[in-house]
Amino acid sequence: MTVRVGVVGVGMIGQDHIRRLTRVLSGVDVVAVSDVDIGRARAVAGGLREAAVHATGEQLVADDRVDAVVVCSWGETHEQYVLAAIAAGKPVFCEKPLATTQEACRRILAAETAAGRRLVQVGYMRRYDPAYRALREVVQDGSLGLPLLMHCTHRNPSVPAHYRGESMINDTAVHEIDMVRWMFGEEIAAVSVLRPRPSRHSGDLPDPLVLLLETGSGILVDVEVSANIRYGYDIRGEVVGESGTATLAEPSTVQVRRGGTVIDRVPADWRERFVRAYDVELQEWVDAVGGDGQLGPSAWDGYAATAVSDAGLEALRTGARVPVALADRPAMYEK
Ligand SMILES: NC(=O)c1ccc[n+]([C@@H]2O[C@H](COP(=O)([O-])OP(=O)(O)OC[C@H]3O[C@@H](n4cnc5c(N)ncnc54)[C@H](O)[C@@H]3O)[C@@H](O)[C@H]2O)c1
């Protein structure tokens, strides 16, 4: 079976996903696109075999040729397209965040639980990265003893013009927030945020930041977020257990030792660092939509990540340690 996909929002990641859906993955075709920038939508459709261009995402969702929807528009617009897909009974892969407010996430949870089956997957791709998967296996096999701490680093070489101070948390650190919930299989109970003196490259941003996440069982996770580190896109993680530690291996495929130095590559951006994760993530989604396999991160995961990032934003504003209050988890999302 070929899953016929419509893509809403064909900017940076929308085009990257279309490339993998049409050139890398199997069992899938892109049959429709839509973007508020209609010229961009037409240009992207022009590079595809046969794809309709729709003026709105709602029209794309209603197109009979579209079996499933991929949402890659700006975060504030995700809710309307995810709700439209649920109303049409069509599976929807929504890039992170599921929605930018907890209220919007709860409307999506209500719609999906009323539909009575899972239709939504959220694009938290670290869960598909081979290095993160290997780290999680070590944590879960018990060989380190109980996990006590995790140190995370999330450094961007630079950020786009529309990036705001809040984006440090709800656009960037939100990846660690989801990863930590998945890594340790528990919710995050409280968030604190610390600010060192700002980088001279940071402009108006509170850059860098340190988040301290506390899980329900008391694991402490520190996350450095840097938005303008200049030298590359650098993602690190180390779990400290009672009797050992485990660290994400460096992602490069070759290391050169010469003249008394070690030369290793730092990825240029998220597309390079997580290329394999995105491929696996979307292939597993296509397979699940086609009836072979399970959907990944759920609307509940999307809601929980947004709730924690909201607590982080309050911690950034107030300087206080902010507890996270989650709604009751509907039975549909129990593990
Ligand atoms: N998982 C990841 O690692 C990852 C990486 C990058 C981006 N993202 C997420 O993907 C989304 C898009 O990010 P991007 O970097 O591609 O941004 P972008 O600005 O490059 O592209 C967004 C596109 O959406 C279009 N758009 C905006 N509002 C729209 C609307 N109402 N309807 C239809 N189209 C609309 C814009 O015209 C633009 O073409 C964001 O939610 C972002 O957080 C996720």
Side-chain angles (χ1 to χ4, degrees):
M1 166 188 176
T2 298
V3 177
R4 297 168 306 172
V5 166
V7 179
V8 181
V10 291
M12 244 187 330
I13 202 161
Q15 291 181 37
D16 200 40
H17 282 343
I18 288 173
R19 177 193 57 75
R20 62 174 44 83
L21 289 167
T22 55
R23 298 199 203 154
V24 181
L25 309 185
S26 60
V28 60
D29 197 9
V30 175
V31 298
V33 297
S34 168
D35 197 293
V36 280
D37 181 342
I38 192 82
R40 179 178 286 174
R42 287 203 186 100
V44 170
L48 296 172
R49 214 158 36 90
E50 200 177 325
V53 176
H54 290 287
T56 68
E58 283 81 0
Q59 286 170 12
L60 177 143
V61 170
D63 184 336
D64 286 340
R65 284 163 302 177
V66 170
D67 301 319
V69 180
V70 170
V71 176
C72 298
S73 51
W74 293 323
E76 300 73 28
T77 69
H78 290 177
E79 178 192 8
Q80 70 192 82
Y81 302 129
V82 172
L83 288 176
I86 294 171
K90 295 187 180 182
V92 52
F93 175 93
C94 179
E95 257 313 331
K96 47 70 51 173
L98 175 61
T100 44
T101 67
Q102 290 178 66
E103 294 68 32
C105 291
R106 289 177 75 161
R107 286 191 287 274
I108 291 170
L109 287 174
E112 193 178 38
T113 46
R117 66 190 172 108
R118 279 205 50 201
L119 290 164
V120 179
Q121 176 168 330
V122 186
Y124 282 117
M125 78 298 181
R126 291 188 180 198
R127 297 179 182 218
Y128 299 87
D129 178 65
Y132 274 109
R133 282 187 163 182
L135 181 60
R136 184 168 181 260
E137 270 173 37
V138 174
V139 167
Q140 299 207 336
D141 73 15
S143 54
L144 304 179
L146 284 178
L148 308 173
L149 298 167
M150 183 169 184
H151 307 297
C152 302
T153 303
H154 190 152
R155 297 185 184 140
N156 281 288
S158 61
V159 288
H162 58 76
Y163 194 92
R164 301 274 166 267
E166 310 87 71
S167 314
M168 301 280 293
I169 293 175
N170 64 18
D171 197 65
T172 300
V174 75
H175 280 292
E176 272 77 15
I177 289 170
D178 178 71
M179 179 275 295
V180 162
R181 296 181 56 254
W182 165 80
M183 179 71 60
F184 300 114
E186 52 181 293
E187 297 295 353
I188 292 167
V191 187
S192 312
V193 177
L194 299 169
R195 293 177 65 170
R197 66 180 181 185
S199 157
R200 69 193 156 91
H201 301 306
S202 65
D204 294 336
L205 295 175
D207 173 26
L209 281 184
V210 177
L211 276 72
L212 190 63
L213 310 174
E214 300 172 43
T215 74
S217 72
I219 302 167
L220 290 186
V221 181
D222 57 88
V223 184
E224 174 205 317
V225 180
S226 288
N228 291 284
I229 203 72
R230 295 297 199 256
Y231 68 82
Y233 180 75
D234 200 2
I235 300 296
R236 301 190 201 176
E238 179 184 36
V239 175
V240 179
E242 293 169 307
S243 41
T245 68
T247 308
L248 291 175
E250 291 299 324
S252 61
T253 48
V254 66
Q255 207 179 53
V256 177
R257 284 161 202 264
R258 138 167 92 67
T261 57
V262 180
I263 303 168
D264 209 344
R265 180 167 169 74
V266 179
D269 61 18
W270 43 270
R271 276 175 293 211
E272 181 181 342
R273 169 63 183 84
F274 287 111
V275 64
R276 180 81 188 118
Y278 294 119
D279 289 349
V280 177
E281 171 190 53
L282 277 176
Q283 185 65 66
E284 289 192 11
W285 177 73
V286 166
D287 293 348
V289 169
D292 180 17
Q294 304 283 320
L295 288 175
S298 68
W300 174 263
D301 295 315
Y303 158 70
T306 298
V308 175
S309 96
D310 278 358
L313 292 176
E314 189 182 331
L316 175 63
R317 270 192 309 271
T318 62
R321 170 185 178 276
V322 179
V324 179
L326 290 181
D328 291 335
R329 187 200 294 242
M332 209 170 104
Y333 305 108
E334 290 302 336
K335 294 190 187 87

